[in-house]
Amino acid sequence: MKTVYALIDCNNFFVSCERIFRPELEGKPVVVLSSNDGCVVARSNEAKSLGVPMGAPAFKFRDLFQKHNIVRFSANFELYGNISKRITQILTEVTPLIEVYSVDESFLDLRELQVDYTEWARDVRARILKEVGVPVSIGIAPTKTLAKLGTELAKKYPGLEGVTNFVDVPQERLDKALHLTPIRDIWGVGRKLEPRLRAEGVSTALHIAQMRPQHAQQVMGIHGRQLVSELNGISCHTLEPAGKIAQSIMRSRTFGEDTTHAYVLEAAIATLTANAAFRLRTEGLVARRIGLFTMTNRHKPGYRRWVREVTLDTPTSDSGAIITELVAQLQTFYSGSQYYHRLGVFLYDLVPESAIQTDLLGFVNTKATDRSRARMQAIDIINKRMGKHKIYYAAEDLSKSWQPKHVIRSPRYVSQWQELPVAHLKPV
């Protein structure tokens, strides 16, 4: 059966989430800033037209923000994650064949649906806008690459009404769309590949589609051959199954303020590890290897970076055990004279928790493993029943100064009772 993929891509997602609860911002320039309000990570169309680039350092554009009354928000990831889940729920009602590609993008496999794809997409757009309040663009095509290209065109050309359908279209129409797409907008062509392609005289998606597969592979590797096929309607990339085992889990943060104190670093390790280990447990996994990294500010003289890794005798998802190992690794390089700017923890070489087995050398203590698992299960049950973070490790309270600053964050409307909007009714 011929493949048919749809990509549902939320328009200016973080900004759209903010506008759900601030409808008066519709039509006004809005930007969302990264952790510590450092860089622009989302822009409304109005902000884009004023010349605000993605990733713009906020301090360099302060005058522009003030001149044009650009509304700024600190990133509110709890809100964005909740809105993303609501959209995903709607899409899973359409078809269970879904790949959540990112917080604001999902691929659907439509080959089982016997519908007019364009009308179907318009209905889905209308439903998401009505029930969630987020505008989306939808690209439909025989391949994931063409579907991604379709969403970009749907955003760029208002006449498409948010939907691009490349299924069974005349070749002339597809060639025109590829000709209008610069290579920087093609899914899978990054900043490193673009100069190499331009040196070959390749500047549009149509040029890539017309390349010989062998030559494309010489220039871009096997990815190049696949890209030529995808742009010509031959699918090389299938949906990633939702139950696929994660390869690794990482949590990292840029500190709210640089620090020289070991206890601040220990607090960061404890909090980030607890978060990562909880994710492990929710997926029924354990880690064979763990590690941490930290660094100074790369924009200041004397930039340095440290990385430490540990192979565990017994794979685990025990937050306390992992925290203990990583804090011990911190001591191998910590210096009170260094100003640390960022820290991260990572868990990898992941396997199902059922894969833990006894060994002939006695390194695996099955009784200790069972106690650890029961302890973590009890903590997770209590936190689920009584509220997030009711039970946590004391090391997490050593300091809060490392946590990113969110000076202009909007209320967490959907996850914190005390931050819910309040309506005042006046008698008529």
Side-chain angles (χ1 to χ4, degrees):
M1 185 179 295
K2 187 176 181 180
T3 55
V4 180
Y5 296 111
L7 175 63
I8 287 75
D9 188 354
C10 301
N11 299 344
N12 310 321
F13 182 57
F14 293 172
V15 171
S16 295
C17 290
E18 299 291 353
R19 282 174 167 171
I20 293 174
F21 299 93
R22 294 283 303 276
E24 74 276 12
L25 297 179
E26 194 67 42
K28 296 182 179 180
V30 180
V31 297
V32 175
L33 305 177
S34 63
S35 297
N36 297 314
D37 302 335
C39 298
V40 173
V41 294
R43 308 159 293 163
S44 67
N45 290 335
E46 297 79 11
K48 294 176 185 178
S49 66
L50 291 172
V52 180
M54 180 63 82
F59 74 93
K60 289 186 178 180
F61 287 80
R62 190 175 295 117
D63 292 341
L64 183 68
F65 294 158
Q66 294 176 351
K67 179 181 178 181
H68 297 285
N69 295 317
I70 297 177
V71 180
R72 288 160 290 163
F73 288 101
S74 302
N76 189 342
F77 294 116
E78 283 189 49
L79 172 64
Y80 310 151
N82 183 281
I83 299 301
S84 176
K85 289 178 181 178
R86 297 180 187 212
I87 295 173
T88 301
Q89 179 61 41
I90 291 175
L91 297 178
T92 53
E93 293 175 13
V94 174
T95 173
L97 303 176
I98 181 172
E99 174 191 340
V100 180
Y101 182 68
S102 66
V103 71
D104 62 342
E105 294 176 295
S106 291
F107 284 102
L108 304 182
D109 187 335
L110 304 184
R111 75 183 84 185
E112 299 290 342
L113 296 181
Q114 302 298 318
V115 295
D116 180 316
Y117 295 124
T118 301
E119 289 303 315
W120 169 87
R122 288 172 179 162
D123 290 343
V124 169
R125 288 187 76 243
R127 181 182 175 188
I128 292 174
L129 186 61
K130 179 181 178 181
E131 297 184 16
V132 183
V134 173
V136 302
S137 296
I138 301 179
I140 305 171
T143 71
K144 293 170 78 173
T145 302
L146 283 175
K148 177 71 172 175
L149 187 149
T151 60
E152 297 301 321
L153 293 174
K155 293 177 184 178
K156 189 178 296 185
Y157 298 101
L160 294 173
E161 299 180 348
V163 177
T164 305
N165 182 3
F166 286 138
V167 177
D168 297 326
V169 297
Q171 188 63 42
E172 297 78 17
R173 183 187 166 195
L174 180 57
D175 287 348
K176 182 179 179 180
L178 295 176
H179 176 69
L180 291 172
T181 305
I183 55 174
R184 65 176 176 272
D185 291 344
I186 302 173
W187 188 40
V189 176
R191 287 179 296 178
K192 292 183 179 180
L193 267 182
E194 184 179 357
R196 193 183 311 170
L197 289 170
R198 290 194 179 280
E200 295 280 335
V202 176
S203 60
T204 70
L206 182 60
H207 290 153
I208 293 181
Q210 293 174 341
M211 291 178 73
R212 290 185 301 106
Q214 296 87 342
H215 181 52
Q217 183 169 346
Q218 290 174 349
V219 176
M220 295 178 279
I222 189 61
H223 169 68
R225 179 184 286 267
Q226 293 172 340
L227 188 55
V228 171
S229 295
E230 288 261 324
L231 291 175
N232 282 286
I234 302 172
S235 178
C236 297
H237 304 299
T238 58
L239 289 190
E240 293 288 344
K244 183 179 179 182
I245 294 177
Q247 300 298 308
S248 63
I249 295 174
M250 185 177 75
R251 295 290 184 271
S252 65
R253 289 291 183 274
T254 298
F255 295 159
E257 57 186 46
D258 292 358
T259 184
T260 61
H261 300 299
Y263 69 87
V264 176
L265 298 176
E266 290 177 19
I269 290 173
T271 303
L272 296 174
T273 298
N275 186 295
F278 175 73
R279 167 79 186 281
L280 265 186
R281 296 192 294 275
T282 58
E283 298 194 9
L285 301 173
V286 290
R288 287 173 170 163
R289 300 182 185 181
I290 60 176
L292 82 156
F293 68 86
T294 188
M295 61 186 68
T296 60
N297 192 329
R298 66 173 66 249
H299 299 295
K300 295 182 180 179
Y303 168 73
R304 293 192 63 188
R305 186 173 189 270
W306 299 266
V307 180
R308 294 292 186 274
E309 299 182 23
V310 179
T311 299
L312 303 173
D313 290 333
T314 304
T316 187
S317 60
D318 187 315
S319 301
I322 298 174
I323 291 170
T324 300
E325 288 283 357
L326 294 183
V327 168
Q329 292 302 310
L330 171 68
Q331 302 305 323
T332 65
F333 63 83
Y334 167 75
S335 169
S337 62
Q338 292 286 351
Y339 279 86
Y340 299 94
H341 179 70
R342 183 177 178 84
L343 183 142
V345 302
F346 51 92
L347 317 176
Y348 66 110
D349 198 358
L350 310 182
V351 296
E353 61 181 2
S354 58
I356 299 179
Q357 299 178 351
T358 57
D359 65 314
L360 294 176
L361 299 179
F363 289 120
V364 177
N365 185 331
T366 54
K367 290 184 178 180
T369 299
D370 291 341
R371 285 197 301 270
S372 166
R373 188 176 297 170
R375 180 170 61 252
M376 290 294 99
Q377 184 178 30
I379 291 174
D380 292 341
I381 289 174
I382 292 172
N383 283 334
K384 182 178 181 179
R385 183 179 302 164
M386 305 304 296
K388 185 179 179 181
H389 214 242
K390 287 297 182 182
I391 295 182
Y392 58 92
Y393 287 87
E396 298 180 54
D397 266 347
L398 289 173
S399 174
K400 301 296 183 183
S401 64
W402 65 273
Q403 294 186 348
K405 291 180 170 55
H406 304 284
V407 179
I408 47 178
R409 185 181 66 190
S410 58
R412 291 166 290 181
Y413 301 102
V414 295
S415 58
Q416 296 292 328
W417 284 105
Q418 62 272 26
E419 296 181 27
L420 285 175
V422 177
H424 299 278
L425 302 180
K426 295 182 179 181
V428 179

